[in-house]
């Protein structure tokens, strides 16, 4: 279904091979769960850096790489977009790295102080510059756990432990 959706797009029609192919495909595919308004900001191009914070080491920390694909899913809803990862910054958070992370506030659409207050207990952060965002016709995807990030296909050779 995804290939059909992207077949007429000049970028995506060449970027995604047959997702059934396993050999020689080095890009990972991730599923990112979003709360609003952040998903809409990504789709509109206002949010150009995605972030994930956690108290433990878990995906996407050290699991996402440039050129990977992210499927964008609304919490409790369908997959409604797709994008690529252009650059990644991973942090074990300390006072110095928090300063660096907060430099991305505008690109994260994180200008409300409550955004940072909600994440102040995090120990790890992953920031990803995203590109090639495309809105999709909503695609149903059954996901029952509470993870906000899932590695659907690991192209790095690292075992999928998430």
């Amino acid at each position: 279904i995804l290939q059909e959706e992207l077949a007429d797009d000049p970028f995506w029609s060449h970027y995604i091979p047959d997702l059934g192919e396993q050999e020689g495909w080095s890009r990972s595919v991730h599923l990112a769960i979003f709360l609003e308004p952040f998903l809409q900001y990504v789709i509109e191009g206002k949010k150009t850096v995605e972030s994930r914070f956690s108290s433990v080491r878990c995906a996407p920390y050290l699991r996402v790489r440039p050129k990977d694909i992210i499927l964008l899913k609304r919490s409790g809803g369908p997959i409604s977009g797709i994008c690529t990862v252009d650059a990644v910054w991973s942090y074990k958070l300390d006072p110095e790295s928090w300063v660096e992370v907060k430099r991305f506030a505008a690109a994260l659409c994180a200008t409300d102080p409550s955004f940072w207050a909600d994440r102040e207990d995090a120990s790890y952060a992953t920031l990803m510059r995203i590109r090639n965002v495309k809105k999709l016709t909503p695609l149903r995807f059954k996901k029952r756990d509470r993870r906000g990030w899932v590695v659907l296909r690991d192209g790095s050779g690292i075992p999928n432990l998430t």
Side-chain angles (χ1 to χ4, degrees):
I1 295 173
L2 193 55
Q3 277 102 350
E4 292 172 17
E5 174 89 17
L6 301 171
D8 293 332
D9 183 278
F11 174 81
W12 284 104
S13 62
H14 298 289
Y15 200 77
I16 295 186
D18 177 6
L19 290 177
E21 292 176 15
Q22 295 292 324
E23 293 294 317
W25 202 58
S26 62
R27 294 183 190 110
S28 294
V29 179
H30 306 268
L31 178 69
I33 312 306
F34 286 82
L35 296 173
E36 290 299 355
F38 297 104
L39 178 58
Q40 191 60 38
Y41 293 160
V42 169
I43 299 291
E44 293 171 354
K46 293 178 186 174
K47 180 175 170 63
T48 58
V49 174
E50 173 54 14
S51 64
R52 297 296 160 132
F53 295 84
S54 64
S55 57
V56 296
R57 282 179 55 148
C58 62
Y61 185 76
L62 301 180
R63 296 295 302 276
V64 66
R65 300 175 305 152
K67 298 185 180 179
D68 281 359
I69 296 167
I70 303 174
L71 298 173
L72 312 171
K73 182 183 181 305
R74 177 176 283 109
S75 180
I79 293 171
S80 55
I82 189 169
C83 66
T84 60
V85 176
D86 183 58
V88 179
W89 300 271
S90 299
Y91 300 94
K92 173 120 175 56
L93 294 168
D94 59 31
E96 285 180 31
S97 59
W98 270 111
V99 170
E100 189 171 335
V101 168
K102 289 181 179 183
R103 289 185 313 115
F104 290 91
L108 290 165
C109 293
T111 54
D112 186 329
S114 67
F115 178 91
W116 301 107
D118 291 346
R119 290 153 180 83
E120 66 186 10
D121 292 333
S123 298
Y124 300 91
T126 303
L127 278 63
M128 299 151 275
R129 184 172 45 234
I130 53 177
R131 300 266 162 111
N132 307 302
V133 177
K134 179 167 179 62
K135 185 176 182 175
L136 299 173
T137 303
L139 300 168
R140 292 277 166 221
F141 184 88
K142 290 188 180 192
K143 180 183 169 303
R144 297 226 154 98
D145 60 44
R146 297 185 50 84
R147 292 178 293 169
W149 192 278
V150 180
V151 180
L152 296 175
R153 180 177 179 162
D154 192 333
S156 68
I158 298 171
N160 189 357
L161 302 175
T162 59

